[in-house]
Amino acid sequence: MKLPKYQLSSSDKLLTFEFISEGNKGMIHKIVKYQATHYKNIYNLAFGDKDYSTGDIDDTSISNNGDSEKVLATVGSTLYAFTDKYPDFWIYATGSTVARTRLYRMGITKFYSEIAIDFEILGERNDDWEPFQKNSSYGGFLIKRKKN
Amino acid sequence: MKIINELKKRNIPIVKIDKSLNKYDDIIIFPEKLDKANKKLTKSGLPKQWNK
């Protein structure tokens, strides 16, 4: 996706990423974490704010720094880095609220033609999975890198 | 330059390794989100597409 993104830092294993959001509320350190779920080869993608002075992570804050599209594009780029290292893993993602999940769905819809080149995307609806359809309402997403 | 062009072609971001982030790898830093993910995956089950 040819969108503006922030510079990424990562742990050695590419499980934890960090970037700095710059906007109308200043500089906010963001952490993106891929966490192993109970299911083999399925990792949960989550992100939140890091307190730069303490290193504590806050996954409930709403920073509203005016750069949501750039933040989402940067989080999306971690998907490429993570799945480049772990090509057989699935990634589960959902928002902390219905509104946030809708925001993610809108982001996927907006760039679907590009994303679908590299990723298989399933949407969760009525406790079942289906291939992602634009503008459909989903509770969560399963994403896997295609073997091109 | 050749490597950078290849990375751009494959949409792979240039990532700086920061060893101070290693400490987060082995801890659950978003416990509620992980719990929610596990519950949703249990409720929905795994995709039928995987059984094809």
Side-chain angles (χ1 to χ4, degrees), chain A residues 15-16 31-39 42-48 55-59, chain B residues 21-38:
Chain A
L15 292 175
T16 309
I31 290 282
V32 180
K33 177 81 193 288
Y34 288 85
Q35 310 186 114
T37 67
H38 290 161
Y39 295 88
I42 304 181
Y43 276 68
N44 171 234
L45 163 61
F47 63 97
D56 291 341
I57 309 297
D58 181 355
D59 64 344
Chain B
L21 294 174
N22 288 350
K23 64 177 180 280
Y24 296 112
D25 278 355
D26 296 324
I27 59 174
I28 298 170
I29 58 176
F30 299 107
E32 289 180 11
K33 288 180 178 173
L34 182 58
D35 187 52
K36 182 180 176 186
N38 280 323

Side-chain angles (χ1 to χ4, degrees), chain A residues 79-97:
Chain A
L79 269 174
Y80 279 93
F82 179 77
T83 57
D84 200 56
K85 186 168 177 69
Y86 306 105
D88 294 326
F89 286 179
W90 283 83
I91 297 97
Y92 177 80
T94 187
S96 50
T97 63

Side-chain angles (χ1 to χ4, degrees), chain A residues 116-141:
Chain A
I117 294 171
D118 297 314
F119 293 96
E120 182 179 352
I121 306 169
L122 301 179
E124 180 248 319
R125 177 161 45 185
N126 298 325
D127 299 332
D128 202 357
W129 297 99
E130 64 180 49
F132 180 88
Q133 295 174 60
K134 293 183 192 180
N135 300 317
S136 292
S137 179
Y138 294 114
F141 311 96

Side-chain angles (χ1 to χ4, degrees), chain A residues 23-111:
Chain A
N24 48 36
K25 294 194 177 172
M27 296 171 70
I28 300 172
H29 288 249
K30 299 280 192 185
I31 290 282
V32 180
K33 177 81 193 288
Y34 288 85
Q35 310 186 114
T37 67
H38 290 161
Y39 295 88
K40 186 185 171 188
N41 290 353
I42 304 181
Y43 276 68
N44 171 234
L45 163 61
F47 63 97
D49 295 350
K50 174 185 168 187
D51 185 313
Y52 185 67
S53 55
T54 65
D56 291 341
I57 309 297
D58 181 355
D59 64 344
T60 60
S61 69
I62 301 171
S63 35
N64 281 337
N65 212 13
D67 62 345
S68 57
E69 192 162 285
K70 194 170 180 179
V71 167
L72 280 181
T74 307
V75 174
S77 70
T78 70
L79 269 174
Y80 279 93
F82 179 77
T83 57
D84 200 56
K85 186 168 177 69
Y86 306 105
D88 294 326
F89 286 179
W90 283 83
I91 297 97
Y92 177 80
T94 187
S96 50
T97 63
V98 170
R100 286 209 172 170
T101 303
R102 182 170 171 268
L103 182 67
Y104 303 158
R105 187 259 296 163
M106 287 164 62
I108 295 171
T109 294
K110 189 174 178 181
F111 300 106

